[in-house]
Amino acid sequence: MSTDSTDRSDRTGQQAAGDDDAVRAATVRRLERAMGDLGSAAVARMESRLSWFRRMSAEDRSWVGLVAQSGVAAFVEWFKNPERGRPAIAVEVFGTAPRELTRSVSLQQTVDMVRVVIDVVESQVDDLAAPGGQRQLREAVLQYTREVAFSSAKVYARAAEARGAWDARLEALVVDALLHGDREQGLQTWGSALGWSRTPVMALAGGLGEQDSESTLEDLRSAARRAGHDVLAGVQGERVIAVIGISENLSGDAAVLTASEPLAGLFGAGPVVVGPAVSDLRVANRSVRAAVSGLRAALAWPDAPRPVRAEDLLPERSLEGDTAARRQLVEEVYRPLRNAGSPLLDTLSVYLEHASSLESTARMLFVHANTVRYRLGRITELTGHSPGDGRGSFVLRIALTLGRLSEREE
């Protein structure tokens, strides 16, 4: 190629570039004049197309409208200065709205909003672009749309990450407050902030073992939520505590074990103890304390089921020093027998002292064996524990001892 040909080619390229710049500048002037109308048209179209936008509060609608206006303004500024490279959409567009707006507007709704704004601009490309600049403007709109999509995803990802970290800290605070009985008045508010709605409530306590704490907590949360429960979980040393808002599909006494059995396998090796169901989160500390007390005492009952109810560990908890367990044994086992009259208490005492022998008990009390059998049946009805059963006799013996000691204190 000759030098003259090269020079002519360079001049042609420079002239084309100059023409493009002139067309772009003319288009920018048109866009700047139309910015206000474009923003208003975008908001009006959102009103007509997006039902979720119409249901929003006036304040949130105004913020969304501001984001739409900012999006148009940022596009015009970027189109005016293409040498700036990629637009800083996260700052120029989403930075105008408060962080709380990401909780009012979902990512999908943001995508819908962006589509509406882009549709408004695209529908007016022929009028907005300077003669010969339609293709240039359309390509710029497509590129800007892609950048908005990426930036939207980043904004919501950061918000979700921050929300997750905040939730984890609040969750740990609630579990700690329940364990130590602090700030009961604020628990319901904290629970609401975490999306808590289920009642009744129970607690699970077990060991962490060799497992990773974060993965254990995440597995517990996922499994509980799949079952329809609310869940708060935290790790305290080598102990994992989960507070479960039981699904409305479960009810009655069996609900506690039904809800806890699928979760027990997610704890580390060793016992898993289930606290009693309570009415709501404000009094869940009773269930948490019972579960933790049971976990400490479960070592004394190697053959305990897994999970085991904290109420089934009342004797072990009493021997370990749990005053609430001692009180419960006296109230629920000893007092009903005492109120039923001395024959039942005398029969139980003699029966336990004589190796659960029906005949020996009858001889010592000078009654027929059938009378002893009848009284033992009444004891089972009143307490829920059978004197003839190994575990039942142990519970009754501890309750009888604690009851006698309590009589001395009264």
Side-chain angles (χ1 to χ4, degrees):
M1 181 181 293
S2 67
T3 304
D4 290 342
S5 298
T6 302
D7 291 342
R8 281 197 301 272
S9 176
D10 290 343
R11 285 196 298 273
T12 301
Q14 291 170 0
Q15 182 178 2
D19 291 343
D20 284 346
D21 290 343
V23 170
R24 180 182 294 272
T27 300
V28 166
R29 288 193 294 272
R30 293 187 176 204
L31 287 171
E32 288 176 336
R33 288 196 297 269
M35 267 198 308
D37 292 338
L38 287 173
S40 299
V43 172
R45 191 168 296 189
M46 280 190 280
E47 284 273 7
S48 63
R49 283 192 184 180
L50 307 178
S51 58
W52 60 264
F53 182 75
R54 293 192 298 273
R55 292 194 299 268
M56 294 180 74
S57 67
E59 182 182 7
D60 283 344
R61 279 203 308 274
S62 68
W63 279 118
V64 172
L66 182 60
V67 170
Q69 295 273 8
S70 299
V72 173
F75 168 72
V76 174
E77 184 63 26
W78 171 75
F79 184 75
K80 181 179 179 180
N81 301 288
E83 68 278 358
R84 289 171 53 189
R86 297 178 63 179
I89 292 172
V91 175
E92 295 174 352
V93 180
F94 296 109
T96 61
R99 187 173 300 173
E100 290 77 6
L101 192 63
T102 57
R103 298 184 188 178
S104 302
V105 182
S106 69
L107 178 57
Q108 181 59 53
Q109 290 170 339
T110 302
V111 171
D112 292 340
M113 181 182 71
V114 170
R115 282 175 179 162
V116 168
V117 175
I118 297 305
D119 284 347
V120 168
V121 176
E122 281 188 322
S123 66
Q124 300 186 38
V125 164
D126 290 338
D127 296 327
L128 293 171
Q134 288 83 358
R135 180 179 176 183
Q136 186 183 59
L137 182 57
R138 281 198 179 90
E139 289 177 352
V141 169
L142 289 175
Q143 183 179 351
Y144 192 77
T145 303
R146 184 183 63 187
E147 295 298 336
V148 168
F150 284 130
S151 294
S152 299
K154 288 179 181 178
V155 167
Y156 278 83
R158 283 197 297 268
E161 185 177 357
R163 172 74 179 177
W166 182 84
D167 282 356
R169 289 194 294 272
L170 182 55
E171 207 170 319
L173 179 63
V174 172
V175 171
D176 185 71
L178 288 171
L179 181 59
H180 296 98
D182 299 333
R183 305 172 185 169
E184 293 184 12
Q185 296 302 317
L187 289 174
Q188 205 70 12
T189 302
W190 294 346
S192 297
L194 292 167
W196 188 279
S197 62
R198 304 289 187 191
T199 57
V201 179
M202 68 170 187
L204 279 168
L208 180 61
E210 300 299 320
Q211 302 179 135
D212 175 69
S213 60
E214 289 302 319
S215 60
T216 298
L217 292 179
E218 191 55 41
D219 289 345
L220 275 170
R221 294 183 187 113
S222 298
R225 287 167 183 155
R226 281 197 302 271
H229 309 310
D230 283 339
V231 59
L232 302 171
V235 174
Q236 297 190 335
E238 296 300 314
R239 184 171 60 200
V240 181
I241 300 173
V243 182
I244 307 296
I246 300 175
S247 167
E248 58 190 14
N249 297 324
L250 301 176
S251 60
D253 295 337
V256 169
L257 286 178
T258 303
S260 61
E261 282 172 356
L263 305 177
L266 301 174
F267 289 81
V272 175
V273 182
V274 187
V278 295
S279 59
D280 56 49
L281 191 61
R282 287 173 296 183
V283 291
N285 64 308
R286 302 174 193 169
S287 186
V288 171
R289 289 176 177 179
V292 171
S293 170
L295 185 63
R296 287 197 300 265
L299 181 67
W301 187 13
D303 296 327
R306 188 179 194 263
V308 59
R309 298 190 314 157
E311 293 177 331
D312 292 335
L313 287 161
L314 287 176
E316 289 80 5
R317 290 167 55 196
S318 299
L319 293 173
E320 209 268 335
D322 186 338
T323 56
R326 291 177 179 177
R327 242 184 345 262
Q328 190 171 344
L329 273 179
V330 172
E331 292 293 332
E332 296 181 3
V333 179
Y334 177 76
R335 293 273 167 80
L337 294 176
R338 185 193 66 179
N339 295 339
S342 58
L344 290 187
L345 277 177
D346 292 343
T347 300
L348 176 62
S349 180
V350 173
Y351 183 76
L352 294 175
E353 291 299 329
H354 286 79
S356 302
S357 170
L358 200 67
E359 292 75 15
S360 297
T361 303
R363 284 196 300 271
M364 288 296 298
L365 295 173
F366 301 102
V367 296
H368 194 275
N370 284 341
T371 301
V372 175
R373 190 175 286 111
Y374 168 78
R375 291 176 180 175
L376 295 178
R378 284 287 295 142
I379 291 169
T380 303
E381 291 174 7
L382 287 171
T383 67
H385 302 283
S386 172
D389 174 73
R391 180 68 187 173
S393 65
F394 174 64
V395 174
L396 290 166
R397 184 182 292 275
I398 299 297
L400 192 60
T401 303
L402 292 172
R404 287 168 176 163
L405 292 172
S406 70
E407 296 284 359
R408 182 191 64 185
E409 295 169 359
E410 290 181 354

